[in-house]
Amino acid sequence: MDIFCIKAVSLGDLEKVLISHDGSGPGSGWFLDKIVIKHKEGEEAHEVVFPCNRWLDEYQDDGKTERELTANKHGSSMKTFLKGKSCFPTTVFYTIVFAV
């Protein structure tokens, strides 16, 4: 599992993500289970899951090294895990988890 933390402006409700790699170097392909994005705006924190369960490899699966993933909005995959006052600052902290 790889985890990245990014400080950015608010992107609002995330519905899709595009992930890819350039395929350079031997053994550059990899299997992606899902992407989990956790973000906090003010007092409220959210988690959005983008399932993939596919290879990003020119020699595996369908040979694609780019995937457009759609948020899983069913069940507990998209949830608010902290509730409080709603405010929308200009800066949001995103934690991105790549489950490989």
Side-chain angles (χ1 to χ4, degrees):
M1 178 176 2
D2 294 319
I3 299 175
F4 302 90
C5 293
I6 300 170
K7 182 179 177 180
V9 298
S10 176
L11 300 174
D13 291 335
L14 300 176
E15 296 177 3
K16 292 184 179 186
V17 294
L18 182 66
I19 185 156
S20 67
H21 65 82
D22 63 8
S24 63
S28 62
W30 45 283
F31 183 84
L32 176 62
D33 179 36
K34 62 186 171 186
I35 296 174
V36 179
I37 299 180
K38 299 178 181 182
H39 58 100
K40 183 175 181 182
E41 293 188 46
E43 298 287 324
E44 211 171 63
H46 301 272
E47 177 180 282
V48 185
V49 177
F50 296 88
C52 182
N53 200 35
R54 303 288 299 266
W55 281 93
L56 282 85
D57 189 331
E58 59 186 4
Y59 302 109
Q60 297 284 338
D61 200 350
D62 60 2
K64 294 182 179 179
T65 58
E66 178 178 286
R67 303 266 178 220
E68 182 178 283
L69 309 178
T70 304
N72 183 350
K73 297 183 180 183
H74 303 291
S76 62
S77 295
M78 178 180 279
K79 60 185 175 184
T80 300
F81 55 87
L82 287 176
K83 292 186 178 178
K85 297 179 183 176
S86 177
C87 79
F88 299 94
T90 56
T91 303
V92 178
F93 290 93
Y94 290 94
T95 302
I96 303 170
V97 178
F98 292 96
V100 293

